[in-house]
Amino acid sequence: MSENTIVTNKERLPQSKVWGFAMGTLGEYFVYYLFYTYFLYYLTDYVLVPASVAGIIMTIVMLWDAFTDPVVGYLCDRSTNPKGRKRPLMAKIFIPFAVIFALCFIRPGIEGGALYAYYFVCCLAFWLCFTMEQVPFYGLLPEITSDDHERMRLRAAMGFIGNLGNLAVSIVPIALSAVIAMGVSEMGSWSVVMGILGAIGTLGFVVCWYTTRGMETPIEKVVRPEENIVRTYAKILKLKGYIPVVIIYVLCTIDLCVCFNTIMYVASSKLDLPPLMQTIITACYTFSGALFVILVTPMNKRWGSYKSIQIVMIVAAVLLCVFGVIGIRSGAIQIVHGLLIGGTFALCTAFTYGLLYQIIDIAYLKSDEQVEASVISFACFGYKIGAAAAASVTSVFLTIIGYDPNANNADGLAHIDAILTWMPAALLVICILVLKFFYPLREDLYRRIIVQKEKKQAGEEYDISEFEHLF
């Protein structure tokens, strides 16, 4: 395979390229879930920021992050950098990304509004850096291969690496205890552990950047969007099926982030489990996806992304209802909950991206413009909106039940199970209905789209009259 050549349906990516590219997920998943699993808990239980204030901080900065996604995606697609449209941006952000993440877990010697402002500004800066790494990373995938099965092969590798990296997320409670045992204060231990883990996550982006050298489409062959950002996204949003996929992504993100936000409140505050057990439970949520993503490629080959994601969502909704009836009354039950729910949500994420790649193929048939980053980044916009909503949902729920880290919350925490069971089950049912009634691409139609796409790539005569209703 020559450099600067997009992979066609006749070629397979070497294993070294697949796994090297997937290392970027170590930075994306790992650091993302470190933040979402522990930052709210860190603010409320260690810095002692009121839950309502902490929720406001997280909600605002996540909305900020969401709105920067489409801008960064558009700028990537419009870039004229001779070294590439995506990788150069990733390289510029490595150091700021690691440093600012560490600053989010340092407590400065200030109080009150100044303290709140410090965390607010740090979070704004961190999520801007995160976007400037995540969007070009995600935009690389559909550019380096145009084959549906190769894309899902990459997604499976990304899921495995990301969830394997997330295993380190689960070691935070025991790592904190180890650092404290070395004589470091509780607050100092947070800074040490998170600083090290943030640097490890950044290394994943570095490996991805190095592995993919020469794999971007040469700038002279790129057909960039010519219209302004508003008109470019207006054309993308008109593609049938795109908005339903974004809605599904939003709802699944709310489910996943609420679960991650709530893990420690259940394991530590409600069940009063020791640090080692907390570590095991967190590992079940974060690492279980690595066990399930091996199903992505065979399921995609047998049923395609559309049917596969429906199957997974139905199974997950049923499991959540079962846990709602049983209740999360012990560490053992939470372990099983984490394994099953973490795994099924990992599959949902993989197949959601499968649907997004289908939209990218439709966009390619409609126009020669290469807008991979724009399509992915607007979906990431929905992802961040879902994450911001999840932060608000969690903080509001904690406020309603009267959560206070310094008081006995037994009565209030008895009701926290609902946020891990019944609520995500209801949102999954909505996702299933949106897919059923509003997503127009079934596998037989998509196969015909692939045939015409391959003809267009080969420079042969192709016919898109059958698909014009999708444009």
Side-chain angles (χ1 to χ4, degrees):
M1 183 176 66
S2 63
E3 289 194 342
N4 293 325
T5 303
I6 193 167
V7 178
T8 69
N9 60 306
K10 304 297 182 183
E11 300 172 327
R12 280 175 60 86
L13 285 166
Q15 289 287 356
S16 60
K17 296 293 185 182
V18 170
W19 293 103
F21 171 80
M23 284 297 292
T25 322
L26 185 64
E28 197 264 334
Y29 274 36
F30 180 42
V31 178
Y32 185 89
Y33 288 122
L34 271 175
F35 189 93
Y36 258 95
T37 303
Y38 296 108
F39 186 67
L40 183 63
Y41 180 69
Y42 168 75
L43 286 186
T44 59
D45 284 45
Y46 287 86
V47 185
L48 300 181
V49 174
S52 57
V53 175
I56 290 172
I57 290 174
M58 288 190 68
T59 300
I60 293 176
V61 299
M62 286 305 298
L63 288 172
W64 151 259
D65 178 41
F67 282 101
T68 58
D69 279 349
V71 176
V72 173
Y74 175 76
L75 292 176
C76 281
D77 287 335
R78 288 274 295 171
S79 174
T80 58
N81 191 320
K83 295 183 179 180
R85 297 183 298 161
K86 301 174 180 71
R87 294 177 66 257
L89 178 60
M90 293 176 67
K92 292 177 181 178
I93 307 301
F94 292 150
I95 294 176
F97 180 79
V99 171
I100 296 172
F101 178 76
L103 290 176
C104 289
F105 290 91
I106 291 177
R107 196 198 191 289
I110 52 180
E111 302 293 341
L115 180 66
Y116 306 157
Y118 167 82
Y119 286 112
F120 179 69
V121 172
C122 283
C123 288
L124 284 178
F126 167 70
W127 285 111
L128 178 60
C129 290
F130 183 88
T131 295
M132 295 173 76
E133 291 286 3
Q134 181 197 39
V135 168
F137 166 57
Y138 275 20
L140 270 174
L141 190 153
E143 184 170 347
I144 62 179
T145 176
S146 64
D147 181 72
D148 181 56
H149 293 312
E150 285 296 285
R151 288 171 177 174
M152 296 310 291
R153 183 170 160 237
L154 282 167
R155 279 302 314 178
M158 289 169 66
F160 183 84
I161 291 291
N163 286 283
L164 185 64
N166 282 349
L167 184 61
V169 174
S170 66
I171 72 168
V172 169
I174 201 166
L176 290 171
S177 298
V179 174
I180 291 171
M182 296 169 62
V184 180
S185 67
E186 283 192 334
M187 295 303 301
S189 67
W190 277 97
S191 302
V192 171
V193 171
M194 290 303 184
I196 293 172
L197 295 180
I200 293 172
T202 305
L203 182 62
F205 280 129
V206 175
V207 172
C208 171
W209 170 82
Y210 180 78
T211 302
T212 55
R213 62 195 186 282
M215 296 186 73
E216 284 192 77
T217 305
I219 199 69
E220 65 273 10
K221 295 183 179 180
V222 171
V223 181
R224 293 184 297 275
E226 295 297 329
E227 296 182 291
N228 62 40
I229 187 170
V230 175
R231 291 183 176 178
T232 297
Y233 279 107
K235 289 195 298 184
I236 293 172
L237 290 171
K238 288 179 182 178
L239 297 173
K240 294 293 179 64
Y242 185 58
I243 291 178
V245 174
V246 173
I247 290 173
I248 289 166
Y249 205 10
V250 170
L251 296 179
C252 285
T253 303
I254 292 174
D255 273 0
L256 188 61
C257 289
V258 164
C259 285
F260 274 85
N261 287 344
T262 315
I263 293 171
M264 292 302 293
Y265 291 103
V266 175
S268 177
S269 300
K270 177 189 174 182
L271 300 177
D272 195 24
L273 300 173
L276 178 59
M277 193 63 172
Q278 293 176 33
T279 296
I280 294 171
I281 287 172
T282 308
C284 292
Y285 285 92
T286 56
F287 181 64
S288 56
L291 305 177
F292 280 67
V293 292
I294 60 174
L295 300 174
V296 169
T297 300
M299 288 182 70
N300 185 66
K301 287 183 176 179
R302 179 164 184 174
W303 295 305
S305 294
Y306 172 77
K307 190 171 182 180
S308 295
I309 195 173
Q310 282 195 316
I311 293 171
V312 173
M313 285 181 172
I314 291 170
V315 171
V318 171
L319 289 173
L320 285 164
C321 290
V322 171
F323 282 111
V325 173
I326 295 173
I328 302 177
R329 304 190 304 264
S330 68
I333 293 176
Q334 194 174 8
I335 285 174
V336 177
H337 181 276
L339 286 171
L340 295 176
I341 302 309
T344 51
F345 273 112
L347 290 176
C348 285
T349 299
F351 291 123
T352 298
Y353 272 91
L355 299 181
L356 285 173
Y357 301 147
Q358 293 180 358
I359 301 298
I360 288 173
D361 289 335
I362 295 173
Y364 175 73
L365 279 179
K366 179 182 179 182
S367 168
D368 289 331
E369 292 180 347
Q370 292 177 249
V371 291
E372 303 93 349
S374 296
V375 171
I376 296 294
S377 66
F378 195 84
C380 289
F381 165 81
Y383 180 69
K384 307 296 175 53
I385 291 293
S392 294
V393 168
T394 306
S395 61
V396 168
F397 190 86
L398 292 174
T399 302
I400 290 173
I401 66 175
Y403 178 74
D404 182 348
N406 296 316
N408 186 345
N409 297 280
D411 292 339
L413 288 172
H415 304 291
I416 205 169
D417 289 3
I419 207 170
L420 285 173
T421 55
W422 295 113
M423 192 201 78
L427 292 182
L428 282 175
V429 170
I430 295 173
C431 288
I432 294 167
L433 295 175
V434 169
L435 269 175
K436 177 69 176 177
F437 295 106
F438 298 102
Y439 188 73
L441 274 177
R442 303 297 187 264
E443 283 307 307
D444 56 342
L445 178 60
Y446 182 58
R447 290 192 195 98
R448 297 197 294 275
I449 289 174
I450 292 298
V451 170
Q452 300 305 319
K453 182 190 77 170
E454 291 173 353
K455 288 182 178 180
K456 182 175 181 179
Q457 288 175 326
E460 302 173 1
E461 184 177 349
Y462 62 96
D463 181 13
I464 60 173
S465 58
E466 180 186 0
F467 318 123
E468 287 182 351
H469 68 287
L470 301 173
F471 300 155

